[in-house]
Amino acid sequence: MGIELLAPLDLAFWHLESDAHPMHLGALAVFAPGGDRAPGPDRLLELLGTRAAAIPRLRMRVRDVLLPVGGAAWSVDKDFDVHRHVKRVHLPESETEGKDEAGFMAAATRLAGELMEQPLRRGLPPWQMYVIGGAPDGSFAVLVKLHHALADGMRAVAIGAGIFDEIATAAGRGRPGATAGRGRPVPPRSWMPGPRQVAGLALGRIEDLGRAFGVGASLVRASRLDLRGAPALSASSSGTRRLATADLDLESVQRIRRAAGGTSNDVLLAVVAGALRRWMLERGEPLPGADPRALVPVSRRRPGGAAAANGNRLSAYLLGLPVSEPDPWARLRAVRGAMDRNKSAGPLRGAGAVAVLADQLPSLAHRFGAPLAGSAARMLFDVLVTSVPLPRSALSLGGCPLRALYPMAPLARGQSLAVALTTYGGMVQIGLVADGKALPDLERLGRCAEEELAELLTLIPASVAS
């Protein structure tokens, strides 16, 4: 059998990781009680494990290879045991007793932040799931951690969706009588590439290096030597993690989009910019001398084909968040204009070259250059703002309806804040990940986003309001 090498960008994420900078994506899914027929805690854990074990990609681990030098490949874990990956944690009664849904969410989010601090164990398939229980009404949450080397946001959704009733039933996973088990033995693979594969790798590297020079030039032009972004967003990393969430009404976002033109993503980016401005002013911080830069990832997957591909298929745009602009409507116009220019220029210009360049470099460059590349990230951007698509249909786990899902993005070295957004059930759900010591007041930033959306609604011109 042939081997499946980690793509260059996946390898970059694998080597960028350190104990203080884990490179896993996350999602905190919150489920409502499922009624009398809902599974108990033990059955729920078994169901989740059975479905996760049936997803082939979640049985794969990373292993070094001889060629290409510095490379790695995906290997089926012959000793796979899903019980190493799916665990239950229970919130103490002192944190949930007498509290409502909001109280449970606050406690679950705090615990999820502590779990997100912990890097995934190497040598095993790089993912983890935690069932968080303890809500007085029977609600529970599931925290999913998935290494960025395994998938980008879109692919992560495709993998993680396999735990839900609607997708698992269609795929025949988690049926009665199925067990999580250790899995069937897997035949060994050859770890020495054949002559044709070696020749193909060599020719591919020559072509990739040629493209890398052009992409690298645009990357250098996009970098900056003056780090005048928001001080709170570029604080020294402590290795701690704090999570917060926010919810925006999707219809309100769409009303603003219809009035202003552009896309719903433009509106959300403007909301993030306005929320940062409000939050900085409330903290008593001076606004930065230069607007902080946001790295906005975009998928390079093509409909029908590449969407099913494994690994990362990413580019990105660079956007100055206009926090110095006092008028919310002017901020929205500025964001829309900047994003239109980004789309016209294409993914090989500016910060989009970060991911594209990584996809062109040889394996050895990622193995030894990852620390330098990680430290250089702050020269390009101050905050990550990413949107993650979810299925539009209603989802459930063991008959318990999915109430909300908050995506979580990893923090780059030198950054203190990452913002991830998704849409489900008529709401835009925001997951905020921050360095716990740099941004202890992260919950306030979430409320600022809700306040910013409300103000934008009041400013819709009367001539176009509906």
Side-chain angles (χ1 to χ4, degrees), residues 246-334:
D247 298 271
L248 307 179
D249 178 62
L250 179 59
E251 176 56 30
S252 297
V253 172
Q254 292 173 341
R255 282 185 60 196
I256 296 167
R257 191 259 314 159
R258 289 192 293 268
T263 67
S264 294
N265 200 48
D266 294 341
V267 176
L268 293 173
L269 288 167
V271 167
V272 171
L276 285 172
R277 176 185 171 86
R278 290 169 180 269
W279 176 67
M280 290 175 190
L281 293 175
E282 287 185 7
R283 284 176 131 223
E285 289 188 10
L287 294 176
D291 286 335
R293 282 180 166 184
L295 189 71
V296 184
V298 293
S299 176
R300 290 191 290 143
R301 297 181 184 275
R302 295 178 180 177
N310 295 316
N312 287 269
R313 297 286 299 165
L314 290 174
S315 181
Y317 295 133
L318 189 66
L319 172 69
L321 295 172
V323 301
S324 57
E325 170 57 57
D327 180 11
W329 208 251
R331 283 197 294 270
L332 176 53
R333 288 196 298 268

Side-chain angles (χ1 to χ4, degrees), residues 400-447:
C400 301
L402 177 66
R403 182 181 289 160
L405 190 145
Y406 301 96
M408 306 291 176
L411 284 182
R413 191 185 304 268
Q415 266 79 45
S416 297
L417 175 67
V419 182
L421 311 98
T422 196
T423 300
Y424 179 77
M427 302 294 291
V428 177
Q429 280 132 12
I430 305 177
L432 303 170
V433 179
D435 183 279
K437 291 187 178 179
L439 306 182
D441 56 344
L442 190 62
E443 293 82 1
R444 180 57 195 156
L445 179 59
R447 292 194 293 273

Side-chain angles (χ1 to χ4, degrees), residues 27-46:
L28 184 64
V30 183
F31 295 88
D36 295 337
R37 302 185 63 182
D42 292 337
R43 173 61 185 132
L44 182 64
L45 197 68
E46 180 186 357

Side-chain angles (χ1 to χ4, degrees), residues 10 70 86 96 105 151 197 206-207 223 236 251 263 271 285 363 388 434 451 459:
D10 303 344
V86 179
T96 58
M105 269 301 302
Q197 189 174 4
I206 292 172
E207 294 174 356
S223 64
S236 299
E251 176 56 30
T263 67
V271 167
E285 289 188 10
S363 303
V388 181
E451 293 168 3
L459 296 176

